[in-house]
Amino acid sequence: MRGATHAKWAAGAVAVALAATACGGGSDSGGGGGGGDGSGVVRSSWGDPQNPLEPANTNEVQGGKVLDMIFRGLKRYDPKTGEAKDMLAEKIDTSDSQNFTITVKDGWTFSNGEKVTAKSFVDAWNYGASLKNNQKNAYFFGQIDGYDKVHPDSGSQSAQTLSGLKVTGERTFTVKLNQKFSLWPDTLGYAAFAPLPKAFFDDHDAWVKKPVGNGPYTVQSYQKGSQMSLRKWDKYPGDDKAQNGGVDLKVYTDNNTAYTDLTAGNLDLVDDVPASQLKNVKADLGDRYINTPAGILQTLAFPFYDPAWNKADSDKVRKGLSMAINRKQITETIFQNTRTPATDWTSPVLGEKGGYKPGLCGKYCDYNPTEAKKLVKEGGGIPGGQVQLGYNADTGSHKEWVDAVCNSINNALDNDKACVGSPTGTFADFRNKITQKKMKGPFRAGWQMDYPLIQNFLQPLYYTNASSNDGHWSNKQFDKLIDEANAESDTTAAIKKFQEAEGVVRDNMAAITLWYQNGSAGYSDKVSNVALNPFSVPVYNEIKVN
Amino acid sequence: MGRYVIRRLLQMIPVFIGATLLIFLMVNVMGDPIAGLCGDRACDPATKAQLEKEFGLDKPVLQQYLTYMGNVFTGDFGTAFNGQKVTELMASAFPVTIRLTIVAILFEIIVGITLGVITGLRRGRPIDTTVLLLTLVVISIPTFVTGLLLQLLLGVEWGWISPAVSTEAPFSELIVPGLVLASVSLAYVTRLTRTSIAENRRADYVRTAIAKGLPRRRVITRHLLRNSLIPVVTFIGADIGSLMGGAIVTERIFNIHGVGFQIYQGIVRQNTQTVVGFVTILVLVFLLVNLIVDLLYAVLDPRIRYA
């Protein structure tokens, strides 16, 4: 019978398809186990890193998390205070704030047994700076002499290595900066300055598939885009040894799912509690919810390249807008207190010793509708009659707070057309418009610090032509103060100069400071001693599995 | 039949080229992908230029497309921004989504057709009304609601399943997500089968079969069902393609690292290579499944012949 043969064939095909796809099942490598003896594994949520995992190529939190576990650099930022402390550096000497002699501690190795020497650092930094390697954090080496040769703004590089770096012994090397920068040693805790083993250069592809570092953890397995298993490295020589047996980082398609998995007991740590769950988080987790300040500041930048926003009296309009924003109400209602109204342009994580100065903004950050209206009027009114507040609509639920800010402005100015949100579809397109100077009005400008220094909150953002000066603001006095602060050899005096420069930002309202962002995390009752560092990354090595 | 298949396969070429070109242009129109790579900070111009050169983004779009298609025919789908080959991404994503689709299709076939036959034979009875109401409810509730609800009840409250699917995504963990994915189509399959069965029940050949004294079971499976299945097969066939491409919502809810997840990431990161690569494969799947459906007609109804 004709039909029957066809049917058999079809059934056969289905069976083949089933068999072909049935493979790859396997057991679920559940974590847990171990118990209180420090051998338990922490199961933590993760996001898919955007760039390959190389120290000088990782510029977002998800990749940075891993680097923080598998690498230790010359300095390390204290997870509690953010203070830069010597890690692999035995000493960093300088007499003129421009030439540094660095001695690396003895007895450190990479997890493959190779010794960490001065060369491990110099090679890694040369690799990171070199244009041909496309490292997105290359600009971190911009202060080292010879950077313009290995990484010119255009054309091809004329040197392969930084002339400012010299290996002078097995454990010593010298660094020459292209200008004075007294706080430079404190930047060395950033992941981009990590040392690299020979294996990185010998077989780069294999290394990227399974990175080898010198930190408290080693990579046991890495399935890109889905999971990374890190295990405690028993021979780790540092004193910040892992308190647990390892960490399984699981990529989640959605942070809501990660949160659900945490409440169901399949996950131990979520370091990004979704905004929609903030209302339930107290009931779900109780005191296993962390909400601590992080080095993240949200601001509104202005398009200073647009003459309408850069007139003589424009600072009054900007100050007026700042006073029209009810920061307290927005942080309470929209963000459920996971943001704190900002009163300066740095972050509380710096501490007052490090340059954080609450109240520096003064009355301009207080909500005052009458004064706001007056100032905007004195400044000649809003350019074009309407503020178009730019943001990207794809991530971070920016729409909610942008609309709230606009409402606040509209209410304060008694004009329901004074401010509208102006969304851009994707983050990439948003960045594109910013770099091409196409913004029509103020736009959101978040800043996550690279290292806990006041310098990092000012220079990259407001110095003339600096890398993140998205508004293209330029002020001679500010630039001068920054240069002076960098040249200052005494830290306290340097910070004072930086704060003077911050005063210039305030007096011109170069950007409206909005709020300090907190890191928020939740954890299960299987783990304890969970904390977030100033970068809002969990301090994994200190987590204990109960 | 052979000539028919060849003609159909040849017809796929223009469809394939047109679809990929459209996707390519759409992703390109969205703007400069490099701009988003450096985070909240502008990439320095030299690195940007270097990256553009590496990904071929400095050339005109049409030339990019031609180079891309040339590479595709040699099996090279390019490299994603995280340094991974797109073919590697496919190798990890497609098996997962195919498994999910199989689960969904099996639900549609087994549950959907069974319910359809039962209700079609018992029109107007209480069971018919109940199923009709139920399907109406399922159709009117969006997938993400069903998904989140089942996840909350079965995963968190009752603890029957894990709310998130593990990396390996074996069949056993995909049952609930598959059901969620299938739910709306399942309701349609039920209704289609029901109508078709009810209509054909009064057909002459069914009456003849009954008059010949064939057992009821044979009348239903051999005569009634086989002819009634043609519209259902068309629907299920078209559904395979849309399930694979449209699994984004379900995959996000249940943390399944399949095709939907990869395409979503590709779009958010404006990664032309990933998006175009995956969509290209989906277009091929869609075309092939449609061909297979057309060929299945002949199996179901021998009167249909292909020259």
Side-chain angles (χ1 to χ4, degrees):
Chain A
M1 207 173 138
R2 197 187 145 96
T5 50
H6 278 283
K8 253 186 223 154
W9 175 84
V14 171
V16 168
L18 279 169
T21 49
C23 56
S27 63
D28 180 18
S29 59
D37 59 351
S39 64
V41 172
V42 181
R43 299 163 298 172
S44 175
S45 72
W46 197 30
D48 190 18
Q50 193 171 9
N51 296 308
L53 279 174
E54 300 166 286
N57 208 9
T58 298
N59 55 4
E60 28 75 63
V61 184
Q62 302 306 339
K65 233 182 236 183
V66 175
L67 295 182
D68 191 45
M69 284 191 260
I70 61 172
F71 277 110
R72 285 292 177 265
L74 291 166
K75 293 253 184 186
R76 179 163 190 248
Y77 301 117
D78 187 284
K80 284 199 183 67
T81 61
E83 193 192 335
K85 289 183 173 161
D86 283 348
M87 195 74 210
L88 264 73
E90 193 168 288
K91 53 180 194 263
I92 301 177
D93 293 327
T94 182
S95 51
D96 57 357
S97 299
Q98 188 165 10
N99 288 287
F100 296 85
T101 309
I102 298 172
T103 313
V104 182
K105 272 184 196 155
D106 201 9
W108 282 76
T109 57
F110 291 98
S111 58
N112 62 4
E114 194 191 321
K115 269 191 95 167
V116 182
T117 61
K119 198 169 175 298
S120 318
F121 284 97
V122 172
D123 286 351
W125 296 3
N126 277 324
Y127 181 88
S130 176
L131 176 59
K132 66 171 190 290
N133 298 324
N134 296 337
Q135 303 285 294
K136 282 162 205 99
N137 287 340
Y139 61 91
F140 271 95
F141 306 99
Q143 280 117 356
I144 299 172
D145 211 26
Y147 179 75
D148 49 344
K149 295 262 168 32
V150 296
H151 200 116
D153 281 344
S154 59
S156 53
Q157 60 194 103
S158 55
Q160 296 303 314
T161 52
L162 291 159
S163 59
L165 290 179
K166 279 198 181 68
V167 179
T168 52
E170 204 201 10
R171 294 195 287 121
T172 52
F173 64 106
T174 58
V175 182
K176 182 170 186 274
L177 302 184
N178 47 30
Q179 60 180 341
K180 287 182 181 219
F181 184 9
S182 61
L183 293 179
W184 181 76
D186 285 354
T187 67
L188 296 176
Y190 191 75
F193 293 103
L196 285 169
K198 260 188 75 193
F200 178 88
F201 305 98
D202 291 346
D203 191 349
H204 183 253
D205 285 348
W207 191 92
V208 171
K209 281 202 175 82
K210 198 176 169 185
V212 174
N214 64 332
Y217 291 97
T218 58
V219 178
Q220 186 189 45
S221 68
Y222 178 23
Q223 289 163 275
K224 265 191 189 160
S226 48
Q227 180 162 339
M228 180 183 262
S229 296
L230 296 131
R231 288 297 171 264
K232 181 183 180 176
W233 177 33
D234 290 322
K235 289 188 198 142
Y236 176 66
D239 48 14
D240 54 338
K241 283 190 204 307
Q243 308 285 310
N244 46 54
V247 178
D248 279 346
L249 295 173
K250 297 181 178 182
V251 174
Y252 278 86
T253 49
D254 188 359
N255 58 2
N256 274 297
T257 313
Y259 185 81
T260 313
D261 232 8
L262 176 75
T263 49
N266 297 321
L267 197 67
D268 296 322
L269 177 62
V270 168
D271 64 348
D272 176 23
V273 177
S276 54
Q277 302 286 1
L278 286 173
K279 278 180 191 148
N280 319 326
V281 76
K282 279 267 158 59
D284 288 346
L285 301 173
D287 54 3
R288 284 182 279 114
Y289 166 62
I290 310 175
N291 183 18
T292 49
I296 307 171
L297 178 72
Q298 296 290 338
T299 59
L300 293 180
F302 291 93
F304 286 98
Y305 40 79
D306 182 347
W309 282 100
N310 203 4
K311 288 186 291 208
D313 270 348
S314 285
D315 63 307
K316 287 190 175 148
V317 179
R318 297 193 291 271
K319 283 172 186 161
L321 287 174
S322 173
M323 294 178 90
I325 299 169
N326 193 340
R327 294 172 176 76
K328 191 165 172 286
Q329 196 187 34
I330 294 171
T331 49
E332 273 168 18
T333 53
I334 306 273
F335 293 118
Q336 314 277 340
N337 289 320
T338 57
R339 309 275 194 281
T340 312
T343 55
D344 82 336
W345 278 262
T346 65
S347 164
V349 299
L350 296 181
E352 302 209 7
K353 229 176 79 191
Y356 167 60
K357 194 170 179 185
L360 183 123
C361 181
K363 63 172 184 174
Y364 298 122
C365 288
D366 293 334
Y367 180 60
N368 187 340
T370 1
E371 183 83 348
K373 218 192 290 182
K374 204 178 113 212
L375 274 172
V376 170
K377 204 173 164 202
E378 278 176 25
I382 296 165
Q386 191 176 48
V387 176
Q388 295 188 349
L389 202 53
Y391 64 99
N392 56 309
D394 56 345
T395 50
S397 39
H398 296 303
K399 185 185 185 323
E400 289 180 5
W401 69 259
V402 166
D403 286 350
V405 164
C406 270
N407 269 333
S408 184
I409 291 175
N410 292 346
N411 288 339
L413 302 184
D414 273 336
N415 171 3
D416 43 316
K417 290 200 182 82
C419 176
V420 289
S422 164
T424 302
T426 61
F427 178 68
D429 202 15
F430 180 64
R431 286 303 317 172
N432 205 20
K433 278 187 183 167
I434 290 172
T435 44
Q436 295 186 353
K437 301 189 183 180
K438 279 186 183 156
M439 300 310 287
K440 295 271 180 294
F443 51 94
R444 85 162 188 94
W447 179 250
Q448 171 146 26
M449 66 176 185
D450 301 311
Y451 32 79
L453 290 183
I454 182 173
Q455 179 265 352
N456 192 240
F457 279 94
L458 298 173
Q459 192 167 3
L461 292 158
Y462 310 110
Y463 198 85
T464 303
N465 290 328
S467 59
S468 292
N469 189 346
D470 288 339
H472 293 269
W473 185 65
S474 174
N475 183 299
K476 286 208 179 76
Q477 202 200 343
F478 177 86
D479 293 358
K480 193 172 137 265
L481 284 167
I482 291 284
D483 288 340
E484 283 174 16
N486 279 330
E488 191 69 64
S489 57
D490 177 55
T491 314
T492 326
I495 284 170
K496 232 176 146 205
K497 280 271 185 222
F498 278 121
Q499 283 175 336
E500 264 180 65
E502 200 184 334
V504 179
V505 172
R506 172 198 54 207
D507 296 337
N508 289 276
M509 199 50 78
I512 294 179
T513 181
L514 291 174
W515 33 74
Y516 312 117
Q517 188 167 325
N518 289 359
S520 68
Y523 55 96
S524 74
D525 49 14
K526 289 199 190 87
V527 294
S528 57
N529 204 23
V530 183
L532 295 175
N533 70 12
F535 303 90
S536 84
V537 171
V539 190
Y540 285 104
N541 59 300
E542 290 180 5
I543 297 175
K544 292 195 172 98
V545 180
N546 301 335
Chain B
M1 176 123 162
R3 279 185 58 181
Y4 174 78
V5 174
I6 289 169
R7 211 169 64 216
R8 282 288 301 265
L9 287 174
L10 286 178
Q11 278 171 5
M12 285 183 191
I13 295 171
V15 178
F16 178 72
I17 291 175
T20 45
L21 180 62
L22 271 180
I23 300 291
F24 204 88
L25 291 177
M26 276 194 274
V27 180
N28 263 283
V29 162
M30 279 159 58
D32 177 8
I34 304 293
L37 271 187
C38 292
D40 272 322
R41 179 195 300 267
C43 288
D44 70 272
T47 310
K48 187 166 186 282
Q50 181 94 355
L51 284 169
E52 275 174 351
K53 211 170 131 195
E54 198 174 297
F55 289 111
L57 295 166
D58 51 344
K59 308 246 165 56
V61 180
L62 268 181
Q63 197 184 333
Q64 282 180 45
Y65 175 73
L66 289 177
T67 329
Y68 180 81
M69 287 314 275
N71 288 338
V72 164
F73 280 110
T74 60
D76 175 12
F77 281 87
T79 311
F81 287 149
N82 68 356
Q84 222 176 347
K85 289 245 168 252
V86 175
T87 40
E88 269 176 47
L89 290 177
M90 289 177 177
S92 71
F94 267 101
V96 176
T97 299
I98 289 174
R99 257 176 273 154
L100 181 66
T101 313
I102 289 175
V103 173
I105 294 288
L106 283 179
F107 266 115
E108 284 181 25
I109 292 175
I110 297 169
V111 182
I113 295 182
T114 314
L115 283 179
V117 172
I118 294 172
T119 50
L121 293 174
R122 290 182 175 70
R123 272 185 72 180
R125 306 266 187 85
I127 183 158
D128 180 34
T129 326
T130 319
V131 172
L132 268 186
L133 266 173
L134 275 178
T135 51
L136 189 69
V137 171
V138 171
I139 289 172
S140 52
I141 299 178
T143 320
F144 72 89
V145 178
T146 338
L148 287 171
L149 199 69
L150 282 180
Q151 185 187 42
L152 184 71
L153 288 179
L154 300 178
V156 182
E157 296 296 322
W158 302 334
W160 293 357
I161 59 160
S162 156
V165 171
S166 66
T167 312
E168 297 86 12
F171 272 110
S172 56
E173 291 182 20
L174 291 175
I175 293 173
V176 176
L179 179 62
V180 170
L181 182 60
S183 58
V184 173
S185 302
L186 197 153
Y188 280 119
V189 168
T190 308
R191 292 186 151 219
L192 262 177
T193 318
R194 172 185 174 271
T195 318
S196 193
I197 290 267
E199 218 166 75
N200 287 337
R201 239 178 107 192
R202 290 189 296 270
D204 290 345
Y205 62 84
V206 176
R207 235 177 28 209
T208 315
I210 297 172
K212 277 202 298 189
L214 288 178
R216 186 176 153 81
R217 201 188 159 73
R218 194 169 167 82
V219 174
I220 293 171
T221 50
R222 278 279 156 201
H223 298 258
L224 181 55
L225 187 58
R226 196 162 150 181
N227 282 285
S228 309
L229 275 185
I230 289 187
V232 181
V233 164
T234 317
F235 178 81
I236 293 181
D239 211 35
I240 292 177
S242 33
L243 284 183
M244 286 187 89
I248 295 184
V249 176
T250 319
E251 291 193 355
R252 254 185 94 95
I253 293 175
F254 291 99
N255 192 39
I256 300 167
H257 298 256
V259 173
F261 172 63
Q262 293 295 351
I263 293 183
Y264 173 79
Q265 291 249 302
I267 290 173
V268 168
R269 291 179 184 171
Q270 241 172 39
N271 202 332
T272 322
Q273 314 275 338
T274 324
V275 179
V276 181
F278 275 84
V279 173
T280 305
I281 300 291
L282 283 181
V283 168
L284 280 179
V285 170
F286 214 89
L287 291 171
L288 278 175
V289 168
N290 269 308
L291 177 62
I292 293 171
V293 166
D294 283 358
L295 295 179
L296 266 183
Y297 287 165
V299 180
L300 291 169
D301 187 350
R303 285 173 301 181
I304 301 175
R305 290 267 181 273
Y306 299 110

